[in-house]
Amino acid sequence: MVQSRRVSGVDASGDAERTVPRRLVRRAQAERSDATKRQILEATARLIVRKGYSELRVADVASEAGVSVGAQLHHFPSKDALLVAMIEHAFAQAAVAGQLRAASEGTVREKVRAIIDDAKSFFFSEHFLIATNIVLSTRSSAIRDEVLELSRRSRLPLEDAWRDAMIAAGIPEDLCAELLTLTLCIIRGFTVRRLWDDDALWQSQCLALWEDMIELLLASRERSAEHAKAGRGRVKGAQP
């Protein structure tokens, strides 16, 4: 038997009362709760970008989000809980987007470019800068360790997905880990460089060169393998 709740008012059919299933009431409440959480998390991110982690105040977050301090504390009972939830939410969304990109088909160059685009979308994001700000500026080892653990949990499985995607695209398995690590390190290097020289054209030129270098490396490896195979065939044919 479905439990229902009677709601006063006049609905579209003109009934003085209507009966609403409890599951619908609960779902509506959950959706409102989720919406409030998102408002608070997004307000937190905006304030950290504007003021920095050290200047973040709970009351300012509530004001920015348009909610009461009590409502905010109901969802996030402390400043640390709020910060960790914000980072977790942002990193989880980035990981899902990355998994979708990794699952798409493409040539070797398209796959490398997809890795670069995904890395830029994450490492150039405000949320990554916020996480870095927290790790570098907080004196609390607990929250620093939590943020680092969130980073590991979100990024390492994604790197595994990208390695699988590279192998599927035809990149030799023994090169995938190194090429992926180098590609990500290049993007992270640009993340720092952007603090004093955010030249998008120069970034694009450097990354295009990196894509060319990968293609040349793979072509060289393929030629070497073909020469080795041909040499083995000649030796085998020369045997009596």
Side-chain angles (χ1 to χ4, degrees), residues 33-230:
S33 178
D34 289 343
T36 300
K37 288 180 182 178
R38 284 194 298 273
Q39 285 177 242
I40 296 170
L41 295 176
E42 290 167 2
T44 303
R46 290 195 299 271
L47 285 174
I48 293 180
V49 169
R50 290 206 302 264
K51 297 184 176 183
Y53 165 78
S54 60
E55 297 299 319
L56 186 69
R57 300 289 181 269
V58 171
D60 292 341
V61 173
S63 177
E64 178 79 13
V67 302
S68 68
V69 173
Q72 178 179 305
L73 294 176
H74 171 73
H75 294 292
F76 308 105
S78 68
K79 178 180 174 179
D80 285 357
L82 174 61
L83 292 169
V84 170
M86 182 200 65
I87 297 299
E88 184 174 22
H89 175 70
F91 282 15
Q93 288 184 316
V96 169
Q99 292 282 355
L100 290 174
R101 287 192 181 102
S104 63
E105 296 183 357
T107 63
V108 168
R109 193 174 188 99
E110 288 170 342
K111 193 58 64 177
V112 172
R113 190 165 297 156
I115 294 170
I116 290 172
D117 290 342
D118 184 65
K120 286 171 65 177
S121 70
F122 177 74
F123 292 111
F124 288 8
S125 71
E126 291 180 347
H127 292 100
F128 177 74
L129 294 177
I130 290 169
T132 303
N133 189 327
I134 292 172
V135 169
L136 295 178
S137 64
T138 181
R139 295 181 180 180
S140 168
S141 61
I143 187 172
R144 182 171 59 246
D145 291 346
E146 279 196 79
V147 171
L148 291 173
E149 180 58 26
L150 285 173
S151 301
R152 283 189 287 268
R153 288 208 308 262
S154 66
R155 301 310 296 178
L156 293 181
L158 181 57
E159 290 185 16
D160 290 340
W162 278 120
R163 278 194 291 271
D164 292 342
M166 293 168 76
I167 294 170
I171 298 176
E173 186 172 356
D174 63 321
L175 286 177
C176 288
E178 288 86 350
L179 289 177
L180 178 62
T181 297
L182 288 169
T183 302
L184 296 178
C185 285
I186 289 171
I187 301 302
R188 284 192 289 263
F190 275 124
T191 301
V192 177
R193 186 183 178 91
R194 290 174 74 230
L195 296 175
W196 66 84
D197 182 23
D198 190 9
D199 188 336
L201 179 59
W202 178 243
Q203 293 168 14
S204 297
Q205 291 173 345
C206 291
L207 291 170
L209 176 60
W210 175 241
E211 292 174 20
D212 290 341
M213 291 170 67
I214 292 176
E215 285 195 339
L216 289 171
L217 171 64
L218 297 178
S220 175
R221 283 282 296 257
E222 188 174 347
R223 286 194 299 270
S224 296
E226 289 173 353
H227 290 162
K229 184 178 179 180

